[in-house]
Structure formats: structure tokens, C-alpha cells
Amino acid sequence: KGLDEMSRRVMDGAKLLGSAGMDIIVFPCTTGSLIRGYGYDQQLIEEIKAASGVKKAMTTSTAIVRAMKAVGAKKLVVTTPYSAEVDQVEKKFLEDSGFEVLDIKGLGYTDPLCMPRVTPDMMYNLTKQVLEEHPEADTIFISCTGLGIIDAIPMMEQDFGRPVITSNQATWWATLRELGIRDDLGLGKIFQL
């Protein structure tokens, strides 16, 4: 209910930001931008542009799909701080977007205030466990813009030997690329593309 309510308020925010002369408006929430299924992220983008008058918009779920395609992802393992119910919605979105989700495991949190309290080692250990069960995965996705794990991406890629995509990293990458900025921020393989 909270994710659905948040996505309904996006247009109010877009209207306010539209008058500030932005080049792009981003809705930075993974599950909030996919909670209504495949295509919802694109619907949000069009609604943000219409509400704000800004020519470019991005959502985190759109950015994730772009990032995964850029690294050539086919078979994913996904870790999240979410409940099993939210994980299943995300799994369906990813599968409908053309990826095989070998496994998705969350920490089971439903309170959004818990997300920023998740430590990089918690996600590292969960990801390691899931990857050990599915060594055929070619890409790792760690979901949630509320996680503060972006600095751990290079270490994870080195340790796990695969591209690691996270919600914040993908959002930054796709937004910068949408604006024509190709800087490598040192936050994983995706920034080298």
C-alpha cells in the first residue's frame, strides 16, 4: 500500500520540480516504479514529463533494465531487503523485462525505515549465499534505493567475478547517460560502458 501511495504522489513532486528548470526528473525508487507491473515505469516517465513540462525523466526500474541490458545480463540472482511478497512483484517485472531470475531472496523487511539500516556486509553475505546456490548466474542485482552499499560494488564485482548492479548505481548511470555524460564514477563495470 505504501509503495502504491508513494507512486501516486510522484506527479505532485513533478509539478513542483517542473518550474525549477530541470533537465531531467528522476523517480528514485525501485519497487515504487515497478509495483504495478511491466510497463509501469514507462507510464510514470510519460506522466512525469507531462506533469512537469521537462523533456526527460527516469525511474529506477527503467535504469535497472537499461543497466542489465548494457552488461549483457541474461541470468540473474537478486537480493533485496524486501518481504517475499514485494520480491515476487519485482521478480515478475524482471522476467517480463526479458531476464531469467534464478533466485530472489530478501531480508523480509516491510518497514521502509529499516532499509537504510541494512549494512553492506548484510547484503554481501546474502548475495554470496544466493550466488553459491546459483553459480550459473551471469549478473547480480541488489535492489533498493534505500541501501547504502554503492561503495561496496567494486569489491563485490571483484569477489563474485560478475557485474553487480544496484538500484542507486543504475539510477545514477542511466540518468547521466540520458544527459550525455559518460564519466566513469568508479562504481562498477557499468560505468565503463
Side-chain angles (χ1 to χ4, degrees), residues 54-87:
V54 172
K55 293 181 181 174
K56 295 178 186 255
M58 180 65 60
T59 75
T60 295
S61 58
T62 307
I64 290 162
V65 170
R66 286 185 187 181
M68 288 193 202
K69 287 181 178 178
V71 299
K74 302 274 188 263
K75 296 180 179 189
L76 310 176
V77 290
V78 183
T79 55
T80 80
Y82 313 137
S83 67
E85 180 182 13
V86 173
D87 281 348

Side-chain angles (χ1 to χ4, degrees), residues 7-8 10 14 42 92 108 114 125 128 175:
S7 63
R8 276 197 288 266
V10 169
Q42 296 302 315
K92 181 162 180 13
C114 291
N125 291 331
K128 183 177 181 183
T175 301

Side-chain angles (χ1 to χ4, degrees), residues 22-173:
M22 301 287 141
D23 292 320
I24 190 168
I25 294 177
V26 180
F27 177 37
C29 181
T30 312
T31 52
S33 61
L34 61 75
I35 196 68
R36 294 186 193 164
Y38 180 77
Y40 182 55
D41 59 321
Q42 296 302 315
Q43 176 187 330
L44 280 170
I45 285 172
E46 293 309 313
E47 289 175 2
I48 289 167
K49 291 193 289 190
S52 67
V54 172
K55 293 181 181 174
K56 295 178 186 255
M58 180 65 60
T59 75
T60 295
S61 58
T62 307
I64 290 162
V65 170
R66 286 185 187 181
M68 288 193 202
K69 287 181 178 178
V71 299
K74 302 274 188 263
K75 296 180 179 189
L76 310 176
V77 290
V78 183
T79 55
T80 80
Y82 313 137
S83 67
E85 180 182 13
V86 173
D87 281 348
Q88 290 311 303
V89 172
E90 184 163 48
K91 181 178 189 275
K92 181 162 180 13
F93 173 83
L94 293 168
E95 290 174 340
D96 289 347
S97 297
F99 306 103
E100 182 180 352
V101 179
L102 300 172
D103 200 359
I104 184 168
K105 283 197 178 159
L107 296 173
Y109 296 134
T110 56
D111 181 351
L113 296 177
C114 291
M115 307 315 175
R117 296 183 190 133
V118 173
T119 62
D121 64 317
M122 291 167 73
M123 294 312 296
Y124 181 98
N125 291 331
L126 180 62
T127 301
K128 183 177 181 183
Q129 174 196 347
V130 176
L131 192 56
E132 286 172 352
E133 295 169 8
H134 299 281
E136 70 275 27
D138 58 42
T139 306
I140 297 163
F141 172 44
I142 303 173
S143 184
C144 188
T145 57
L147 299 177
I149 62 166
I150 201 161
D151 293 334
I153 294 168
M155 176 199 61
M156 288 180 163
E157 287 189 338
Q158 181 177 339
D159 288 0
F160 298 144
R162 294 161 180 79
V164 173
I165 303 296
T166 74
S167 296
N168 287 326
Q169 167 218 43
T171 302
W172 289 8
W173 173 81

